[in-house]
Amino acid sequence: MKKDPYLLGSLNTALALLDILSHYDKISLANLSAKANVNKSVAFRCLYTLEKNGYVEKTADAQYTLGIKFLYYGNLLAARQDLVSIARPVLQRLAAGCKLAAHLSSLSRDRVVTIHKEESPYDIQVTARVGMNAPACATAMGRAILAYLPEKELSALLAGYTYRRYSPSSVTSAEACRRLLADVRRKGYATDYDDRFPGFGSAACPVFDRTGAVTAAVGVVGLAQTIQAREAAYAA
């Protein structure tokens, strides 16, 4: 079989070990390495790395089991799926009423990710797809979420953010971003015009959970001039 030049051997081995672990409550290193058909020392190093990162746990009797991090990811994925189910009819009405593509986005570190979208038959088709992501400070979706984050979380995020000038409208510093986010909180919605993509823009509002914490953003995407002309109406 031809060797795949893009395949990372150690990562591939770690994933194979995790796949085997998923079928057992717990399993020994010897059995695990035999089932994965890898050298015992290689399996140990992979498991050690996974254990240090919370993906694997080692029991008192030297057995291995999946770590609690998978429970976290499972709950996170389930919550996102529930959010999409609830938001889908809202997005459909929004796309039909505004005659623009409607997006649902969530925050992943310092980037905003599209987790669902509804196209509108009345406007140009926006090329963004589910899974696409962008710097949070550079989009209305991201700004709508950032504006309502707890101060400690926001400060850490802005301090580590890499600011890029995509266009003359781009936010290029933490101070400028804070001023923009203060305006978002004042208005209750966020916008971006000709920022990352000349000619395009968006308007977005935050989505809060039952505890009052911001969890996502809903908004419309289209031609900048269209959204700018009806900004207040879309935000309402």
Side-chain angles (χ1 to χ4, degrees):
M1 182 181 293
K2 186 178 179 181
K3 186 176 181 181
D4 189 338
Y6 299 106
L7 190 69
L8 290 175
S10 58
L11 179 57
N12 194 53
T13 298
L15 292 172
L17 293 171
L18 289 173
D19 187 53
I20 295 168
L21 277 168
S22 70
H23 293 88
Y24 294 87
D25 290 334
K26 58 182 181 178
I27 184 173
S28 68
L29 173 62
N31 285 335
L32 194 52
S33 60
K35 289 182 181 295
N37 194 29
V38 297
N39 181 277
K40 196 173 177 180
S41 63
V42 172
F44 173 78
R45 290 198 299 273
C46 285
L47 290 167
Y48 179 84
T49 303
L50 291 168
E51 182 184 1
K52 287 296 182 181
N53 287 278
Y55 294 98
V56 164
E57 292 180 3
K58 190 175 183 181
T59 64
D61 57 348
Q63 303 277 304
Y64 290 91
T65 183
L66 289 180
I68 196 169
K69 186 163 282 188
F70 283 99
L71 180 61
Y72 166 75
Y73 285 142
N75 288 336
L76 186 63
L77 182 59
R80 285 185 176 178
Q81 292 303 313
D82 290 343
L83 180 60
V84 169
S85 297
I86 294 170
R88 184 178 288 113
V90 176
L91 291 175
Q92 290 172 344
R93 291 195 298 272
L94 187 62
C98 294
K99 298 183 178 182
L100 292 172
H103 289 218
L104 173 68
S105 302
S106 65
L107 192 67
S108 178
R109 297 184 181 177
D110 63 351
R111 301 185 72 82
V112 65
V113 183
T114 301
I115 59 177
H116 187 68
K117 67 175 291 191
E118 293 289 340
E119 296 286 7
S120 170
Y122 304 101
D123 197 61
I124 60 172
Q125 298 296 299
V126 179
T127 57
R129 63 184 182 276
V130 172
M132 284 191 69
N133 59 85
C137 284
T139 71
M141 303 288 180
R143 295 166 186 172
I145 299 174
L146 294 177
Y148 295 92
L149 288 179
E151 176 55 35
K152 185 177 181 180
E153 185 178 349
L154 177 63
S155 294
L157 190 149
L158 294 183
Y161 189 82
T162 300
Y163 297 90
R164 291 181 57 187
R165 182 178 291 279
Y166 298 97
S167 74
S169 302
S170 297
V171 176
T172 56
S173 69
E175 292 75 17
C177 190
R178 281 193 175 278
R179 289 195 296 271
L180 187 149
L181 297 180
D183 188 55
V184 171
R185 288 191 296 272
R186 181 183 61 80
K187 295 189 300 184
Y189 64 90
T191 57
D192 71 80
Y193 302 119
D194 302 308
D195 195 320
R196 293 185 69 239
F197 302 106
F200 288 89
S202 59
C205 295
V207 176
F208 302 96
D209 65 16
R210 68 186 65 182
T211 68
V214 65
T215 59
V218 167
V220 290
V221 180
L223 294 176
Q225 61 186 23
T226 301
I227 294 179
Q228 196 162 19
R230 300 195 61 195
E231 174 185 319
Y234 290 145

Short mmCIF file of all heavy atoms in Angstrom, two decimals, residues 98-159:
data_model
loop_
_atom_site.label_atom_id
_atom_site.label_comp_id
_atom_site.label_asym_id
_atom_site.label_seq_id
_atom_site.Cartn_x
_atom_site.Cartn_y
_atom_site.Cartn_z
N CYS A 98 -36.59 38.94 5.87
CA CYS A 98 -35.57 39.91 5.49
C CYS A 98 -35.11 39.74 4.05
O CYS A 98 -34.42 40.60 3.50
CB CYS A 98 -34.36 39.79 6.42
SG CYS A 98 -34.68 40.21 8.13
N LYS A 99 -35.46 38.59 3.46
CA LYS A 99 -35.06 38.27 2.08
C LYS A 99 -33.53 38.23 1.94
O LYS A 99 -32.96 38.65 0.93
CB LYS A 99 -35.66 39.26 1.09
CG LYS A 99 -37.19 39.23 1.10
CD LYS A 99 -37.77 40.16 0.06
CE LYS A 99 -39.29 40.06 0.06
NZ LYS A 99 -39.92 40.92 -0.97
N LEU A 100 -32.89 37.69 3.00
CA LEU A 100 -31.44 37.53 3.03
C LEU A 100 -31.10 36.19 3.68
O LEU A 100 -31.94 35.59 4.35
CB LEU A 100 -30.78 38.65 3.85
CG LEU A 100 -30.84 40.07 3.28
CD1 LEU A 100 -30.32 41.05 4.31
CD2 LEU A 100 -30.03 40.17 2.00
N ALA A 101 -29.88 35.73 3.48
CA ALA A 101 -29.44 34.51 4.16
C ALA A 101 -29.37 34.77 5.66
O ALA A 101 -28.91 35.82 6.11
CB ALA A 101 -28.07 34.10 3.64
N ALA A 102 -29.85 33.80 6.45
CA ALA A 102 -29.83 33.91 7.92
C ALA A 102 -28.87 32.88 8.49
O ALA A 102 -28.89 31.72 8.07
CB ALA A 102 -31.23 33.72 8.48
N HIS A 103 -28.04 33.31 9.44
CA HIS A 103 -27.02 32.44 10.01
C HIS A 103 -27.18 32.32 11.52
O HIS A 103 -27.60 33.26 12.20
CB HIS A 103 -25.63 32.99 9.73
CG HIS A 103 -25.21 32.88 8.30
ND1 HIS A 103 -23.92 32.58 7.93
CD2 HIS A 103 -25.90 33.01 7.14
CE1 HIS A 103 -23.83 32.54 6.61
NE2 HIS A 103 -25.02 32.82 6.11
N LEU A 104 -26.79 31.15 12.04
CA LEU A 104 -26.65 30.91 13.48
C LEU A 104 -25.19 30.59 13.71
O LEU A 104 -24.63 29.70 13.06
CB LEU A 104 -27.53 29.75 13.92
CG LEU A 104 -27.37 29.29 15.38
CD1 LEU A 104 -27.89 30.35 16.35
CD2 LEU A 104 -28.11 27.97 15.61
N SER A 105 -24.55 31.31 14.63
CA SER A 105 -23.12 31.13 14.86
C SER A 105 -22.82 31.01 16.34
O SER A 105 -23.55 31.53 17.19
CB SER A 105 -22.33 32.31 14.27
OG SER A 105 -22.58 32.44 12.89
N SER A 106 -21.71 30.34 16.65
CA SER A 106 -21.25 30.23 18.04
C SER A 106 -19.78 30.56 18.11
O SER A 106 -19.08 30.60 17.09
CB SER A 106 -21.51 28.82 18.59
OG SER A 106 -20.73 27.87 17.89
N LEU A 107 -19.29 30.80 19.31
CA LEU A 107 -17.90 31.20 19.51
C LEU A 107 -17.04 29.98 19.82
O LEU A 107 -17.40 29.13 20.64
CB LEU A 107 -17.81 32.20 20.67
CG LEU A 107 -16.49 32.95 20.84
CD1 LEU A 107 -16.25 33.89 19.67
CD2 LEU A 107 -16.51 33.73 22.15
N SER A 108 -15.89 29.88 19.17
CA SER A 108 -14.90 28.85 19.45
C SER A 108 -13.57 29.55 19.64
O SER A 108 -12.94 29.98 18.68
CB SER A 108 -14.82 27.84 18.30
OG SER A 108 -13.83 26.85 18.56
N ARG A 109 -13.18 29.71 20.91
CA ARG A 109 -12.00 30.50 21.26
C ARG A 109 -12.17 31.92 20.72
O ARG A 109 -13.08 32.61 21.11
CB ARG A 109 -10.73 29.82 20.78
CG ARG A 109 -10.49 28.46 21.43
CD ARG A 109 -9.19 27.84 21.03
NE ARG A 109 -9.02 26.54 21.67
CZ ARG A 109 -8.00 25.74 21.46
NH1 ARG A 109 -7.02 26.10 20.63
NH2 ARG A 109 -7.92 24.58 22.08
N ASP A 110 -11.28 32.35 19.81
CA ASP A 110 -11.41 33.73 19.31
C ASP A 110 -12.02 33.79 17.91
O ASP A 110 -11.91 34.80 17.23
CB ASP A 110 -10.04 34.43 19.32
CG ASP A 110 -9.04 33.75 18.39
OD1 ASP A 110 -9.35 32.65 17.87
OD2 ASP A 110 -7.95 34.31 18.17
N ARG A 111 -12.68 32.71 17.50
CA ARG A 111 -13.30 32.67 16.18
C ARG A 111 -14.79 32.35 16.30
O ARG A 111 -15.22 31.68 17.24
CB ARG A 111 -12.61 31.63 15.29
CG ARG A 111 -11.13 31.92 15.10
CD ARG A 111 -10.47 30.97 14.13
NE ARG A 111 -10.85 31.20 12.75
CZ ARG A 111 -10.30 32.11 11.96
NH1 ARG A 111 -9.35 32.91 12.43
NH2 ARG A 111 -10.67 32.25 10.71
N VAL A 112 -15.55 32.86 15.36
CA VAL A 112 -16.98 32.60 15.33
C VAL A 112 -17.25 31.58 14.23
O VAL A 112 -16.71 31.68 13.13
CB VAL A 112 -17.78 33.90 15.12
CG1 VAL A 112 -17.52 34.52 13.76
CG2 VAL A 112 -19.25 33.67 15.34
N VAL A 113 -18.05 30.56 14.55
CA VAL A 113 -18.28 29.43 13.65
C VAL A 113 -19.75 29.38 13.23
O VAL A 113 -20.65 29.47 14.07
CB VAL A 113 -17.91 28.10 14.33
CG1 VAL A 113 -18.09 26.94 13.35
CG2 VAL A 113 -16.48 28.15 14.85
N THR A 114 -20.00 29.23 11.94
CA THR A 114 -21.37 29.07 11.44
C THR A 114 -21.84 27.65 11.73
O THR A 114 -21.24 26.69 11.26
CB THR A 114 -21.44 29.32 9.92
OG1 THR A 114 -20.98 30.65 9.64
CG2 THR A 114 -22.85 29.16 9.40
N ILE A 115 -22.89 27.51 12.53
CA ILE A 115 -23.38 26.17 12.86
C ILE A 115 -24.69 25.82 12.16
O ILE A 115 -25.11 24.68 12.15
CB ILE A 115 -23.52 25.99 14.40
CG1 ILE A 115 -24.47 27.02 15.00
CG2 ILE A 115 -22.16 26.06 15.06
CD1 ILE A 115 -24.69 26.83 16.50
N HIS A 116 -25.34 26.84 11.56
CA HIS A 116 -26.51 26.57 10.72
C HIS A 116 -26.80 27.80 9.88
O HIS A 116 -26.49 28.92 10.28
CB HIS A 116 -27.74 26.25 11.58
CG HIS A 116 -28.91 25.80 10.75
ND1 HIS A 116 -28.93 24.60 10.07
CD2 HIS A 116 -30.09 26.41 10.44
CE1 HIS A 116 -30.07 24.47 9.41
NE2 HIS A 116 -30.78 25.57 9.62
N LYS A 117 -27.35 27.58 8.69
CA LYS A 117 -27.72 28.71 7.84
C LYS A 117 -28.95 28.36 7.03
O LYS A 117 -29.23 27.20 6.74
CB LYS A 117 -26.57 29.10 6.91
CG LYS A 117 -26.23 28.05 5.86
CD LYS A 117 -25.16 28.54 4.89
CE LYS A 117 -25.69 29.63 4.00
NZ LYS A 117 -24.76 29.95 2.87
N GLU A 118 -29.71 29.39 6.70
CA GLU A 118 -30.89 29.26 5.84
C GLU A 118 -30.74 30.26 4.70
O GLU A 118 -30.56 31.46 4.94
CB GLU A 118 -32.18 29.54 6.63
CG GLU A 118 -32.51 28.51 7.69
CD GLU A 118 -32.96 27.17 7.12
OE1 GLU A 118 -33.39 27.14 5.94
OE2 GLU A 118 -32.88 26.17 7.85
N GLU A 119 -30.80 29.76 3.48
CA GLU A 119 -30.68 30.65 2.32
C GLU A 119 -32.02 31.33 2.04
O GLU A 119 -33.08 30.85 2.43
CB GLU A 119 -30.25 29.85 1.08
CG GLU A 119 -28.86 29.23 1.20
CD GLU A 119 -27.75 30.25 1.07
OE1 GLU A 119 -28.04 31.46 1.01
OE2 GLU A 119 -26.58 29.83 1.04
N SER A 120 -31.94 32.45 1.35
CA SER A 120 -33.14 33.14 0.91
C SER A 120 -33.21 33.10 -0.62
O SER A 120 -32.21 33.36 -1.29
CB SER A 120 -33.13 34.60 1.37
OG SER A 120 -34.18 35.32 0.75
N PRO A 121 -34.36 32.76 -1.17
CA PRO A 121 -34.49 32.71 -2.63
C PRO A 121 -34.55 34.09 -3.27
O PRO A 121 -34.50 34.22 -4.49
CB PRO A 121 -35.81 31.95 -2.83
CG PRO A 121 -36.60 32.29 -1.62
CD PRO A 121 -35.60 32.36 -0.49
N TYR A 122 -34.64 35.14 -2.44
CA TYR A 122 -34.82 36.49 -2.96
C TYR A 122 -33.52 37.24 -3.19
O TYR A 122 -33.51 38.28 -3.83
CB TYR A 122 -35.67 37.32 -1.99
CG TYR A 122 -37.01 36.70 -1.70
CD1 TYR A 122 -37.23 36.03 -0.52
CD2 TYR A 122 -38.05 36.80 -2.62
CE1 TYR A 122 -38.47 35.46 -0.24
CE2 TYR A 122 -39.29 36.23 -2.35
CZ TYR A 122 -39.49 35.56 -1.16
OH TYR A 122 -40.71 35.00 -0.89
N ASP A 123 -32.41 36.73 -2.62
CA ASP A 123 -31.16 37.48 -2.67
C ASP A 123 -30.06 36.61 -3.25
O ASP A 123 -30.25 35.41 -3.47
CB ASP A 123 -30.77 37.95 -1.26
CG ASP A 123 -29.74 39.06 -1.28
OD1 ASP A 123 -30.05 40.12 -1.84
OD2 ASP A 123 -28.64 38.85 -0.77
N ILE A 124 -28.89 37.20 -3.50
CA ILE A 124 -27.75 36.43 -3.97
C ILE A 124 -27.38 35.38 -2.93
O ILE A 124 -27.60 35.57 -1.74
CB ILE A 124 -26.53 37.34 -4.23
CG1 ILE A 124 -26.11 38.06 -2.94
CG2 ILE A 124 -26.82 38.33 -5.33
CD1 ILE A 124 -24.81 38.81 -3.08
N GLN A 125 -26.86 34.25 -3.40
CA GLN A 125 -26.48 33.19 -2.49
C GLN A 125 -25.12 33.50 -1.87
O GLN A 125 -24.13 33.68 -2.57
CB GLN A 125 -26.41 31.85 -3.23
CG GLN A 125 -27.75 31.42 -3.83
CD GLN A 125 -28.79 31.17 -2.75
OE1 GLN A 125 -28.62 30.30 -1.90
NE2 GLN A 125 -29.87 31.91 -2.80
N VAL A 126 -25.10 33.60 -0.55
CA VAL A 126 -23.84 33.86 0.15
C VAL A 126 -23.08 32.55 0.25
O VAL A 126 -23.65 31.51 0.58
CB VAL A 126 -24.12 34.43 1.56
CG1 VAL A 126 -22.81 34.68 2.30
CG2 VAL A 126 -24.92 35.72 1.44
N THR A 127 -21.77 32.59 -0.03
CA THR A 127 -21.01 31.35 -0.13
C THR A 127 -20.64 30.72 1.21
O THR A 127 -20.13 29.62 1.24
CB THR A 127 -19.71 31.61 -0.92
OG1 THR A 127 -18.96 32.65 -0.28
CG2 THR A 127 -20.02 32.01 -2.34
N ALA A 128 -20.87 31.41 2.31
CA ALA A 128 -20.54 30.84 3.62
C ALA A 128 -21.31 29.53 3.83
O ALA A 128 -22.46 29.41 3.44
CB ALA A 128 -20.89 31.83 4.72
N ARG A 129 -20.64 28.58 4.44
CA ARG A 129 -21.27 27.28 4.67
C ARG A 129 -21.12 26.90 6.15
O ARG A 129 -20.32 27.49 6.87
CB ARG A 129 -20.63 26.21 3.80
CG ARG A 129 -19.15 25.98 4.09
CD ARG A 129 -18.53 24.97 3.14
NE ARG A 129 -17.14 24.72 3.48
CZ ARG A 129 -16.12 25.48 3.09
NH1 ARG A 129 -16.36 26.53 2.34
NH2 ARG A 129 -14.89 25.18 3.46
N VAL A 130 -21.90 25.92 6.56
CA VAL A 130 -21.81 25.44 7.94
C VAL A 130 -20.39 24.94 8.20
O VAL A 130 -19.83 24.19 7.40
CB VAL A 130 -22.84 24.33 8.19
CG1 VAL A 130 -22.61 23.69 9.55
CG2 VAL A 130 -24.25 24.87 8.08
N GLY A 131 -19.82 25.36 9.31
CA GLY A 131 -18.45 24.99 9.65
C GLY A 131 -17.44 26.06 9.34
O GLY A 131 -16.33 26.05 9.89
N MET A 132 -17.81 27.00 8.48
CA MET A 132 -16.87 28.08 8.19
C MET A 132 -16.70 28.97 9.42
O MET A 132 -17.62 29.13 10.22
CB MET A 132 -17.37 28.93 7.01
CG MET A 132 -17.19 28.27 5.66
SD MET A 132 -17.48 29.40 4.27
CE MET A 132 -16.07 30.51 4.41
N ASN A 133 -15.49 29.52 9.59
CA ASN A 133 -15.24 30.35 10.77
C ASN A 133 -14.43 31.57 10.38
O ASN A 133 -13.79 31.61 9.33
CB ASN A 133 -14.54 29.54 11.86
CG ASN A 133 -13.21 28.98 11.38
OD1 ASN A 133 -12.19 29.66 11.42
ND2 ASN A 133 -13.23 27.74 10.89
N ALA A 134 -14.48 32.57 11.24
CA ALA A 134 -13.81 33.84 10.98
C ALA A 134 -13.40 34.47 12.31
O ALA A 134 -13.94 34.11 13.37
CB ALA A 134 -14.74 34.77 10.22
N PRO A 135 -12.44 35.38 12.30
CA PRO A 135 -12.07 36.08 13.53
C PRO A 135 -13.29 36.78 14.12
O PRO A 135 -14.00 37.51 13.42
CB PRO A 135 -11.02 37.09 13.04
CG PRO A 135 -10.46 36.50 11.79
CD PRO A 135 -11.61 35.81 11.15
N ALA A 136 -13.54 36.56 15.38
CA ALA A 136 -14.77 37.06 16.01
C ALA A 136 -14.89 38.58 15.95
O ALA A 136 -15.97 39.12 15.73
CB ALA A 136 -14.85 36.58 17.45
N CYS A 137 -13.77 39.27 16.14
CA CYS A 137 -13.82 40.74 16.15
C CYS A 137 -14.14 41.33 14.79
O CYS A 137 -14.51 42.50 14.69
CB CYS A 137 -12.49 41.31 16.64
SG CYS A 137 -12.25 41.16 18.42
N ALA A 138 -14.00 40.53 13.73
CA ALA A 138 -14.16 41.05 12.38
C ALA A 138 -15.55 40.83 11.80
O ALA A 138 -15.80 41.21 10.66
CB ALA A 138 -13.13 40.41 11.45
N THR A 139 -16.46 40.24 12.57
CA THR A 139 -17.79 39.95 12.04
C THR A 139 -18.88 40.40 13.01
O THR A 139 -18.68 40.46 14.23
CB THR A 139 -17.98 38.43 11.81
OG1 THR A 139 -18.06 37.77 13.08
CG2 THR A 139 -16.83 37.86 11.01
N ALA A 140 -20.05 40.68 12.46
CA ALA A 140 -21.19 41.06 13.31
C ALA A 140 -21.58 39.92 14.23
O ALA A 140 -21.91 40.14 15.40
CB ALA A 140 -22.37 41.46 12.43
N MET A 141 -21.53 38.68 13.72
CA MET A 141 -21.88 37.52 14.55
C MET A 141 -20.96 37.43 15.77
O MET A 141 -21.40 37.26 16.90
CB MET A 141 -21.76 36.23 13.73
CG MET A 141 -22.59 36.19 12.48
SD MET A 141 -24.35 36.01 12.79
CE MET A 141 -24.94 36.01 11.09
N GLY A 142 -19.66 37.55 15.50
CA GLY A 142 -18.70 37.47 16.60
C GLY A 142 -18.84 38.62 17.57
O GLY A 142 -18.80 38.43 18.79
N ARG A 143 -19.05 39.82 17.06
CA ARG A 143 -19.18 40.99 17.93
C ARG A 143 -20.42 40.90 18.81
O ARG A 143 -20.40 41.34 19.97
CB ARG A 143 -19.23 42.26 17.08
CG ARG A 143 -17.94 42.53 16.31
CD ARG A 143 -18.13 43.59 15.23
NE ARG A 143 -16.93 43.75 14.42
CZ ARG A 143 -16.86 44.48 13.33
NH1 ARG A 143 -17.93 45.15 12.91
NH2 ARG A 143 -15.72 44.57 12.65
N ALA A 144 -21.49 40.33 18.27
CA ALA A 144 -22.72 40.20 19.05
C ALA A 144 -22.53 39.29 20.25
O ALA A 144 -23.17 39.45 21.29
CB ALA A 144 -23.84 39.66 18.16
N ILE A 145 -21.63 38.30 20.11
CA ILE A 145 -21.34 37.40 21.22
C ILE A 145 -20.32 38.02 22.17
O ILE A 145 -20.50 38.05 23.39
CB ILE A 145 -20.81 36.04 20.70
CG1 ILE A 145 -21.86 35.36 19.82
CG2 ILE A 145 -20.43 35.13 21.88
CD1 ILE A 145 -21.37 34.09 19.14
N LEU A 146 -19.23 38.56 21.61
CA LEU A 146 -18.17 39.14 22.43
C LEU A 146 -18.68 40.23 23.35
O LEU A 146 -18.23 40.36 24.49
CB LEU A 146 -17.07 39.72 21.53
CG LEU A 146 -16.26 38.75 20.68
CD1 LEU A 146 -15.27 39.53 19.81
CD2 LEU A 146 -15.53 37.75 21.55
N ALA A 147 -19.63 41.01 22.88
CA ALA A 147 -20.13 42.15 23.65
C ALA A 147 -20.76 41.74 24.97
O ALA A 147 -20.84 42.56 25.90
CB ALA A 147 -21.14 42.94 22.82
N TYR A 148 -21.18 40.50 25.08
CA TYR A 148 -21.89 40.06 26.29
C TYR A 148 -21.14 38.98 27.06
O TYR A 148 -21.71 38.34 27.95
CB TYR A 148 -23.29 39.58 25.90
CG TYR A 148 -24.14 40.70 25.36
CD1 TYR A 148 -24.19 40.96 23.99
CD2 TYR A 148 -24.86 41.53 26.21
CE1 TYR A 148 -24.95 42.01 23.49
CE2 TYR A 148 -25.61 42.58 25.72
CZ TYR A 148 -25.66 42.82 24.35
OH TYR A 148 -26.41 43.87 23.87
N LEU A 149 -19.85 38.78 26.74
CA LEU A 149 -19.05 37.83 27.50
C LEU A 149 -18.70 38.41 28.88
O LEU A 149 -18.61 39.63 29.04
CB LEU A 149 -17.75 37.51 26.77
CG LEU A 149 -17.82 36.66 25.51
CD1 LEU A 149 -16.43 36.49 24.92
CD2 LEU A 149 -18.44 35.30 25.80
N PRO A 150 -18.48 37.57 29.88
CA PRO A 150 -17.99 38.07 31.17
C PRO A 150 -16.66 38.80 30.97
O PRO A 150 -15.86 38.43 30.11
CB PRO A 150 -17.80 36.79 31.99
CG PRO A 150 -18.71 35.78 31.36
CD PRO A 150 -18.72 36.11 29.89
N GLU A 151 -16.42 39.83 31.74
CA GLU A 151 -15.26 40.69 31.55
C GLU A 151 -13.94 39.91 31.57
O GLU A 151 -13.05 40.16 30.75
CB GLU A 151 -15.23 41.76 32.64
CG GLU A 151 -14.00 42.67 32.61
CD GLU A 151 -13.79 43.34 31.24
OE1 GLU A 151 -14.79 43.68 30.59
OE2 GLU A 151 -12.63 43.53 30.84
N LYS A 152 -13.79 38.97 32.48
CA LYS A 152 -12.54 38.21 32.58
C LYS A 152 -12.29 37.42 31.30
O LYS A 152 -11.17 37.39 30.78
CB LYS A 152 -12.60 37.26 33.79
CG LYS A 152 -11.30 36.51 34.04
CD LYS A 152 -11.40 35.66 35.30
CE LYS A 152 -10.09 34.92 35.55
NZ LYS A 152 -10.19 34.08 36.79
N GLU A 153 -13.32 36.78 30.79
CA GLU A 153 -13.19 35.99 29.56
C GLU A 153 -12.89 36.89 28.36
O GLU A 153 -12.05 36.58 27.51
CB GLU A 153 -14.47 35.20 29.32
CG GLU A 153 -14.41 34.24 28.14
CD GLU A 153 -15.68 33.43 27.97
OE1 GLU A 153 -16.54 33.46 28.89
OE2 GLU A 153 -15.81 32.77 26.93
N LEU A 154 -13.58 38.02 28.30
CA LEU A 154 -13.37 38.95 27.19
C LEU A 154 -11.96 39.52 27.22
O LEU A 154 -11.29 39.61 26.17
CB LEU A 154 -14.39 40.09 27.25
CG LEU A 154 -14.24 41.17 26.19
CD1 LEU A 154 -14.45 40.59 24.80
CD2 LEU A 154 -15.23 42.31 26.44
N SER A 155 -11.47 39.91 28.39
CA SER A 155 -10.13 40.50 28.51
C SER A 155 -9.06 39.52 28.04
O SER A 155 -8.13 39.89 27.31
CB SER A 155 -9.85 40.92 29.95
OG SER A 155 -10.70 41.97 30.33
N ALA A 156 -9.19 38.26 28.44
CA ALA A 156 -8.22 37.24 28.03
C ALA A 156 -8.26 37.04 26.53
O ALA A 156 -7.22 36.89 25.87
CB ALA A 156 -8.50 35.93 28.76
N LEU A 157 -9.44 37.04 25.96
CA LEU A 157 -9.59 36.82 24.52
C LEU A 157 -9.00 37.98 23.73
O LEU A 157 -8.24 37.77 22.77
CB LEU A 157 -11.06 36.64 24.19
CG LEU A 157 -11.40 36.16 22.77
CD1 LEU A 157 -12.68 35.33 22.78
CD2 LEU A 157 -11.58 37.34 21.83
N LEU A 158 -9.33 39.20 24.12
CA LEU A 158 -8.83 40.37 23.38
C LEU A 158 -7.32 40.52 23.51
O LEU A 158 -6.65 40.97 22.58
CB LEU A 158 -9.52 41.64 23.88
CG LEU A 158 -11.02 41.75 23.62
CD1 LEU A 158 -11.54 43.10 24.10
CD2 LEU A 158 -11.35 41.56 22.15
N ALA A 159 -6.77 40.12 24.65
CA ALA A 159 -5.32 40.22 24.86
C ALA A 159 -4.56 39.27 23.94
O ALA A 159 -3.44 39.58 23.51
CB ALA A 159 -4.98 39.93 26.32
#
